[in-house]
Amino acid sequence: MFGSESPPAERPDLRLLPVVAPLWAVQAVVLLLGPGVARAAVVTGGAVLGAALGLGASALGRGSPGRWLRRTAGRSRGPGRSRSNQPRHARPRALAALVLAGAGIGAMASGLHLARLHPPLLDSIANGGMVVRASVRITGDPVRHEAASDNGRPSRPIWTASARLEHVVVRGHPAHLRAPVMLQGDAVAHMRYGATLEFAARARPAWAPESQAVTLRVLGAARERAPPGAVAATTNAIRAAFRAACAGLSPDAGALLLGLSVGDESTLPASLDTAMTRAGLAHLTAVSGSNTALVMAIALALVTAAGMGWRMRASASLLVLAGYVALVRPQPSVLRAAAMGVVALLALGVGGRRRGSAALLGACLALLVALPAFAISLGFALSVAATGGLLLVGPPMAGRLGRWRATRWAPEPVRAAFAVAAAAHLATLPLSVLMGNGASLVALPANVLVTPLVPVATVLGLVAALVAPLWQWPAVVLAHVASPATAAIARIAHSASSLPLGVLPVPDGPEPALLTAALLAVGATIAARGWRPWRDWRVLTVVALALALVLGHRTMRDAAWPVPDWLVLACDVGQGDGVLLRAPGASDALLVDVGPGGGRVGTCVRDAGVRRVVVLLTHFHADHIDGLADVLHSVEVDAILASPVPQPPQGAHAVLTEAAGAGVPVRTLRAGARQAVAGIALQVLWPARAIDESPANNASVVVLATVPGARPLHVLMTGDIEPEAQAAVMGRGGPPALDVVKVPHHGSRYQLPGFARWASARIALVCVGRGNDYGHPSAATLLQYRAAGSLVGRTDEQGALAVVLRGGAPALAVER
């Protein structure tokens, strides 16, 4: 561990940065564009790489590659050696060659990855929703996803598991296709890790097309063709025995012990998961880089104490790491954690900042080329940021803590623990803001408090897990001995998360994230160089950029509300939907859904100057229909249009009763229908058939509305459709260039990632209630729409949202 003795003058080795940065950026762009650009990415990447090689050859001249790389980084061979012997244009050319090489490799790697992941046959199977006979090998433990319908009643949980497709039969024609897939369905709950299974399934487009080829909904029972192999069977037995040993512990303590030791999150209570996230301790609910570093450090210490040579020490440590990765499952997230843990251990143990930064960049380069999906993984970005902060910020911070009068009284391990936690927290803060987690004020003290508890729980839990299959009662004893540490971690998480100002509600999105990064850069500059703005142009530049980001925020803020020229108005009705659409200057409108009741939708309609409406109810959940009585008493209602699927029945009955009492006719809408309502042209895209999964949400009416005017506005209203219905809507053809999309299901995490790219709307509206119990909206969903180029508006943070035309283009106005 570093301390005040860390050499302050040591500089990080960033010579691989000109390769890694463009490689990462290009891969992210290609993956976000989707499988359709795979071939073009490979061809373009090859051409760019060829140009880089040519440019590098001209810059290299007669020198050696090592000398060229040193010149590129701006370093000479010795401290007193002059650079005058370098070719005049060698360094710029070499730097450009490295950047082009990174971009070319990134484009080729991501293009080949997408091409392998989405062969034409699999894409046609998924887009057509075909029923196939599949043979797969299970590569991940089944995961239970708790689901709740929007009327507050729990619905059937969703079981998923990752698998590798090995063989598929399509309409009697067999095909050998090897690709990672996601399984879904009740039968998944009984599948064993490592087993080879055969079953009938309905294919759907993948939820994560950058890492999975297709989603297979299992139909009926699965037949086991081959049991798990020796390694999988052994790890299954260890995890099952350890789970039994932890059964007598309290729910929080047992769940954390399973997660910290073997990465088993199957018993983690939802309340603890939320508390750990708010307290900045979510990385402790599963295996992270710190766990792998700890296991490697223990193994290294044991073999060193045994007097083994460095080759045996390295071999034994890698063998232990391989066994640990097999035990916690070799998922991409575990491989990422293992790589970052090894980098941190080597850097802090023997490498220092210089070698550590080089190792980090080298690990990033290897992982991004081998697993291109990491380029758009926020988990990977968080791991890299945390490790980078640990290597680059931690040592000087620990040194300063040892020199400051206010902190040098503290023992060196305490200062080091604080420096580690602070460096990782500050480095990941912009990403946390981007994900919508706010700025946590409790994460730093919470991580410092749990620092001595984590190694105790991890080591005792891992020993208990290894002992459990052989001898159960010692494993039970060890689990009980470790449980006070995990119980204390859980108490710290609950206490920290319950503090009233523990997490500052910073708006999420790229602008606040960039602003946070700019402010952190200002703070780091001031801490390192002192506050000398008149002498340090860097501080002034960063401050100017931060102010420009604030002033250049893309949303408009209007004093008078609602703005008089609105065309689409998403009312702030709480946790529910209520969206008005009208032709320019009209007093009648189309009202899509009426919210959860409480009078807010009626107030919104009256304040908007609307006197007459046609109501479209996408489906019959309470948060979309309970405000109907308020609307009927507020304005004149010509008709009610509704979904043809009366689910849930009590909701459909309530609508019919209210409408009959008011004398308003009710008509149903089905896919293919076209009609004009309040001067707005409607094209009904869904529902075309029933879907068994989440039948009410997936029966939501989806309409493409065209608002007339000098510049027609195309708006897609989506109700609460989930991935199954989203895939079906996409399969009915591409929409015209959309101006506005209402994000399905309040931005929940149950989204088909390709749907946001398919819509590619200029503006995305998220109708959601502040502080709701469902976790809406999901940070991943918001990121999907922003990555698709949409400007995202949220009623929970910004109040009502209005779409207007400014300079012939749609713009977003917000209430607050």
Side-chain angles (χ1 to χ4, degrees):
M1 188 62 66
F2 48 75
S4 58
E5 70 278 1
S6 298
E10 187 181 46
R11 295 194 174 190
D13 185 350
L14 304 178
R15 285 178 288 178
L16 283 177
L17 187 60
V19 179
V20 174
L23 183 144
W24 193 339
V26 170
Q27 280 191 332
V29 170
V30 172
L31 293 177
L32 290 173
L33 290 175
V37 303
R39 181 175 297 180
V42 174
V43 174
T44 304
V48 172
L49 184 58
L53 293 175
L55 188 60
S58 67
L60 183 60
R62 298 180 180 179
S64 66
R67 183 179 175 186
W68 174 52
L69 193 57
R70 284 193 298 273
R71 285 203 308 263
T72 304
R75 290 180 172 86
S76 57
R77 291 193 175 192
R81 181 156 181 172
S82 171
R83 297 184 186 176
S84 59
N85 59 344
Q86 296 181 3
R88 183 175 181 181
H89 302 293
R91 188 181 176 195
R93 289 182 181 179
L95 184 61
L98 290 175
V99 171
L100 289 176
I105 294 171
M108 292 183 67
S110 52
L112 290 172
H113 169 74
L114 289 176
R116 288 194 303 267
L117 209 56
H118 297 279
L121 177 58
L122 267 185
D123 273 1
S124 63
I125 291 171
N127 293 330
M130 298 182 185
V131 175
V132 299
R133 190 79 185 171
S135 176
V136 304
R137 182 169 59 84
I138 307 300
T139 58
D141 293 295
V143 178
R144 175 189 172 106
H145 303 275
E146 296 293 343
S149 61
D150 292 324
N151 57 11
R153 287 182 294 275
S155 61
R156 193 170 59 186
I158 300 172
W159 285 91
T160 63
S162 57
R164 184 164 188 82
L165 181 65
E166 297 184 343
H167 183 81
V168 64
V169 178
V170 186
R171 295 174 179 171
H173 300 285
H176 292 280
L177 294 172
R178 294 184 177 272
V181 299
M182 185 181 75
L183 308 183
Q184 182 184 358
D186 295 338
V188 175
H190 309 291
M191 295 180 177
R192 295 190 297 165
Y193 171 78
T196 300
L197 305 174
E198 185 178 339
F199 49 79
R202 183 177 294 278
R204 298 288 188 201
W207 288 18
E210 74 280 356
S211 59
Q212 297 165 347
V214 67
T215 296
L216 296 177
R217 178 165 177 76
V218 181
L219 306 175
R223 181 172 66 90
E224 190 171 286
R225 294 183 55 192
V231 174
T234 301
T235 57
N236 286 345
I238 293 174
R239 291 165 71 96
F242 185 42
R243 200 177 296 118
C246 296
L249 305 179
S250 67
D252 285 358
L256 275 181
L257 188 58
L258 286 168
L260 275 170
S261 305
V262 297
D264 186 348
E265 300 177 85
S266 61
T267 62
L268 188 70
S271 59
L272 179 59
D273 189 20
T274 302
M276 297 287 283
T277 300
R278 286 185 58 83
L281 301 174
H283 59 283
L284 299 180
T285 59
V287 170
S288 63
S290 60
N291 297 71
T292 56
L294 178 63
V295 171
M296 283 276 289
I298 293 173
L300 194 59
L302 291 176
V303 295
T304 302
M308 296 183 181
W310 70 268
R311 296 186 184 217
M312 289 297 297
R313 291 200 298 268
S315 300
S317 299
L318 291 176
L319 185 62
V320 168
L321 179 63
Y324 185 63
V325 169
L327 176 61
V328 301
R329 307 305 196 211
Q331 298 290 326
S333 60
V334 175
L335 297 177
R336 176 194 73 218
M340 294 301 118
V342 171
V343 168
L345 179 64
L346 293 177
L348 297 180
V350 297
R353 299 177 75 198
R354 178 173 170 79
R355 293 184 181 177
S357 55
L360 175 61
L361 290 172
C364 290
L365 181 62
L367 287 173
L368 288 170
V369 172
L371 300 168
F374 279 173
I376 56 174
S377 166
L378 284 174
F380 179 70
L382 286 168
S383 290
V384 173
T387 308
L390 185 72
L391 298 176
L392 303 179
V393 180
M397 182 179 292
R400 284 182 175 270
L401 291 176
R403 293 191 296 272
W404 287 345
R405 182 177 301 176
T407 55
R408 65 187 179 192
W409 58 268
E412 194 273 336
V414 175
R415 297 197 305 267
F418 181 84
V420 167
H425 175 63
L426 294 175
T428 57
L429 186 58
L431 289 171
S432 178
V433 171
L434 177 66
M435 296 168 64
N437 294 332
S440 176
L441 301 180
V442 297
L444 181 54
N447 275 278
V448 173
L449 289 174
V450 303
T451 296
L453 302 173
V454 172
V456 174
T458 302
V459 173
L460 290 176
L462 189 55
V463 174
L466 297 176
V467 170
L470 306 174
W471 208 354
Q472 184 68 200
W473 76 262
V476 173
V477 172
L478 286 170
H480 278 79
V481 172
S483 63
T486 53
I489 294 173
R491 282 196 296 271
I492 291 170
H494 284 298
S495 300
S497 64
S498 62
L499 293 175
L501 293 178
V503 179
L504 296 180
V506 179
D508 63 322
E511 290 97 343
L514 289 172
L515 177 59
T516 303
L519 293 177
L520 288 175
V522 171
T525 305
I526 294 173
R529 305 171 63 88
W531 176 241
R532 299 175 300 171
W534 56 90
R535 295 170 55 189
D536 196 338
W537 62 270
R538 297 177 183 84
V539 175
L540 292 176
T541 302
V542 173
V543 171
L545 288 174
L547 291 175
L549 287 171
V550 175
L551 297 175
H553 198 271
R554 291 179 293 178
T555 56
M556 304 175 345
R557 309 210 176 258
D558 296 85
W561 191 262
V563 289
D565 53 347
W566 66 268
L567 299 175
V568 179
L569 180 63
C571 300
D572 181 11
V573 297
Q575 180 64 14
D577 280 9
V579 182
L580 284 162
L581 295 87
R582 71 168 183 183
S587 61
D588 55 343
L590 171 67
L591 175 60
V592 182
D593 290 324
V594 291
R600 298 173 74 172
V601 67
T603 301
C604 178
V605 172
R606 290 191 298 271
D607 290 348
V610 172
R611 299 290 176 264
R612 189 185 187 107
V613 299
V614 171
V615 175
L616 192 164
L617 300 176
T618 59
H619 63 297
F620 298 104
H621 274 154
D623 61 333
H624 294 255
I625 65 168
D626 276 6
L628 182 58
D630 183 31
V631 174
L632 291 170
H633 287 92
S634 299
V635 293
E636 184 176 350
V637 179
D638 287 345
I640 296 174
L641 310 176
S643 170
V645 179
Q647 290 290 336
Q650 61 271 25
H653 177 72
V655 168
L656 293 175
T657 301
E658 290 280 0
V664 177
V666 178
R667 300 193 297 270
T668 59
L669 294 176
R670 296 180 183 274
R674 293 175 181 267
Q675 64 183 88
V677 174
I680 299 169
L682 298 182
Q683 178 185 354
V684 183
L685 305 181
W686 189 259
R689 56 179 174 81
I691 292 179
D692 295 335
E693 184 67 38
S694 192
N697 284 342
N698 279 325
S700 295
V701 176
V702 179
V703 295
L704 176 62
T706 302
V707 179
R711 197 277 198 193
L713 200 69
H714 301 291
V715 184
L716 185 68
M717 302 300 300
T718 60
D720 280 359
I721 58 172
E722 294 183 358
E724 296 81 9
Q726 292 173 21
V729 170
M730 291 169 61
R732 299 179 68 85
L738 288 178
D739 297 300
V740 183
V741 61
K742 202 284 296 184
V743 177
H745 203 184
H746 320 293
S748 81
R749 69 181 184 276
Y750 296 112
Q751 307 282 335
L752 197 65
F755 189 79
R757 292 195 295 270
W758 175 80
S760 296
R762 292 170 178 261
I763 297 171
L765 304 177
V766 183
C767 299
V768 64
R770 181 184 293 272
N772 65 85
D773 297 330
Y774 306 107
H776 299 165
S778 163
T781 299
L782 298 178
L783 187 62
Q784 291 164 18
Y785 280 87
R786 290 189 175 110
S790 301
L791 172 61
V792 177
R794 299 171 50 171
T795 58
D796 60 336
E797 291 185 347
Q798 298 163 304
L801 309 167
V803 178
V804 297
L805 287 179
R806 292 285 187 266
L812 180 65
V814 301
E815 183 179 13
R816 60 175 182 264

